C-alpha cells in the first residue's frame, strides 16, 4: 500500500545562482560560495536553532524545485561519466528521481538574528539555486557521517579535473570583491554540460547579479565578458 506524507517547506536559500547553469555539481566543492538560509515565518523561532551554533557543518534537505516530474526513469546519465553511460538513478545524485529531494552538507559560518527574519543561517559551499525550498536542517556529525574509507563507486573511475581560469583583472573588478574568489572557483569546476566541448562556443552564466561569458579551449577557461 502506497503511503504519502506531505513535506513542509521550512526555509528557502538565497544564493548567487538565479539559474541552474554554473552551480557546482556537489556541495562543498567551492567553499568560497556564500548563501543564507531564511526560515519561513512559522519557523522563525530562535529556540528552534538553539545549540546549532556549536556545529561547524549542517545537512540541508531540499527540493530540486526545477526538476519535479510526474514520472521517473530507473537509469540516468551522470555528468561525471561524460553523459555517455547509464547507471541506476539510486546510484547517483541526479535530480531526476522519484522524489525530487536533494541532500547537501554545508559549512555553517554563523547564525544571525534579524528583527524581521528571525534566525538566519549563513552557510558556505552550498550547491543550491537561489530560492530553493528547504525541508529540513540537521547537524553534521563527524563521528557518524564521515567515512574516510568509503568507496566512491563510478566517481573514482572518473577523477575530477579542474580548468585553468584566465580572467583579466579589469573584468573581474566588475564584481564585488567578496564575490570574485567564488566566481573563479566555480568556473574552474567547468560549468559546461558534459556533452559540449566546442572551443568556439561562448557560454553565458548568471552569477551574483552579473552575466559572465566565457570560452573553453585545451583545458583553459577564458572569461570574455562580465556584464
Amino acid at each position: 500500500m502506497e503511503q504519502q506524507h506531505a513535506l513542509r517547506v521550512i526555509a528557502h536559500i538565497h544564493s548567487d545562482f538565479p539559474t541552474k547553469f554554473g552551480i557546482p555539481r556537489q556541495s562543498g566543492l567551492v567553499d568560497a560560495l556564500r548563501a543564507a538560509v531564511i526560515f519561513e515565518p512559522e519557523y522563525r523561532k530562535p529556540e528552534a536553532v538553539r545549540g546549532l551554533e556549536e556545529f561547524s557543518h549542517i545537512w540541508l534537505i531540499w527540493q530540486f524545485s526545477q526538476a519535479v516530474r510526474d514520472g521517473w526513469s530507473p537509469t540516468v546519465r551522470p555528468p561525471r561519466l561524460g553523459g555517455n553511460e547509464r547507471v541506476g538513478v539510486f546510484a547517483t545524485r541526479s535530480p531526476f528521481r522519484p522524489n525530487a529531494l536533494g541532500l547537501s552538507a554545508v559549512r555553517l559560518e554563523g547564525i544571525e538574528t534579524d528583527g524581521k527574519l528571525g534566525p538566519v543561517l549563513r552557510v558556505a559551499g552550498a550547491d543550491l539555486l537561489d530560492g530553493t525550498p528547504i525541508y529540513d536542517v540537521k547537524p553534521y556529525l563527524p563521528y557518524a557521517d564521515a567515512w574516510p574509507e568509503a568507496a566512491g563507486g563510478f566517481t573514482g573511475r572518473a577523477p575530477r579535473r579542474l580548468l585553468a581560469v584566465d580572467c583579466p583583472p579589469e573584468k573581474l573588478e566588475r564584481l564585488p570583491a567578496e564575490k570574485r574568489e567564488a566566481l573563479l572557483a566555480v568556473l574552474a569546476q567547468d560549468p559546461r554540460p558534459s556533452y559540449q566541448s566546442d572551443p568556439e562556443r561562448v557560454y553565458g552564466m548568471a552569477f551574483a547579479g552579473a552575466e559572465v561569458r566565457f570560452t573553453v579551449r585545451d583545458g583553459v577557461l577564458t572569461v570574455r565578458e562580465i556584464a
Side-chain angles (χ1 to χ4, degrees):
M1 179 180 179
E2 183 179 3
Q3 294 183 349
Q4 295 186 355
H5 178 73
L7 296 178
R8 298 180 180 180
V9 175
I10 66 165
H12 289 81
I13 200 164
H14 291 262
S15 74
D16 287 320
F17 294 101
T19 63
K20 293 187 296 182
F21 187 78
I23 297 178
R25 294 184 173 95
Q26 301 293 340
S27 60
L29 295 180
V30 180
D31 186 71
L33 287 172
R34 299 294 184 269
V37 176
I38 310 294
F39 288 96
E40 290 295 285
E42 181 181 353
Y43 305 102
R44 293 175 184 173
K45 302 181 184 299
E47 59 268 30
V49 297
R50 184 183 302 152
L52 190 62
E53 72 281 355
E54 298 180 16
F55 295 87
S56 65
H57 293 72
I58 58 176
W59 290 106
L60 301 179
I61 300 173
W62 47 279
Q63 182 190 57
F64 288 102
S65 52
Q66 292 194 2
V68 178
R69 297 180 175 183
D70 291 332
W72 70 287
S73 172
T75 62
V76 296
R77 301 177 187 267
R80 192 66 176 272
L81 294 177
N84 299 317
E85 182 179 340
R86 282 193 173 274
V87 299
V89 65
F90 299 130
T92 75
R93 296 189 176 185
S94 166
F96 305 114
R97 33 199 340 107
N99 293 301
L101 295 179
L103 177 69
S104 296
V106 299
R107 182 163 60 86
L108 178 62
E109 291 199 307
I111 304 175
E112 298 178 1
T113 300
D114 184 281
K116 181 179 179 181
L117 300 176
V120 175
L121 308 185
R122 298 289 177 181
V123 301
D127 55 337
L128 280 71
L129 182 74
D130 184 50
T132 292
I134 295 175
Y135 290 128
D136 207 357
V137 174
K138 298 179 184 291
Y140 178 95
L141 305 179
Y143 76 90
D145 295 341
W147 296 85
E149 72 281 12
F154 64 82
T155 63
R157 304 198 307 269
R160 223 166 30 99
R161 293 183 176 87
L162 299 180
L163 298 175
V165 179
D166 178 12
C167 182
E170 64 272 16
K171 289 184 171 62
L172 192 59
E173 289 172 0
R174 296 173 187 169
L175 272 183
E178 70 274 11
K179 303 292 183 181
R180 297 170 190 171
E181 179 185 356
L183 172 63
L184 295 178
V186 166
L187 294 175
Q189 297 287 329
D190 195 352
R192 299 173 300 165
S194 57
Y195 53 84
Q196 292 182 358
S197 59
D198 181 0
E200 302 300 327
R201 178 164 182 167
V202 178
Y203 298 87
M205 184 185 84
F207 179 80
E211 181 72 16
V212 182
R213 300 188 182 279
F214 62 89
T215 56
V216 180
R217 179 188 292 272
D218 298 330
V220 178
L221 184 150
T222 301
V223 175
R224 301 298 179 182
E225 182 183 14
I226 297 180

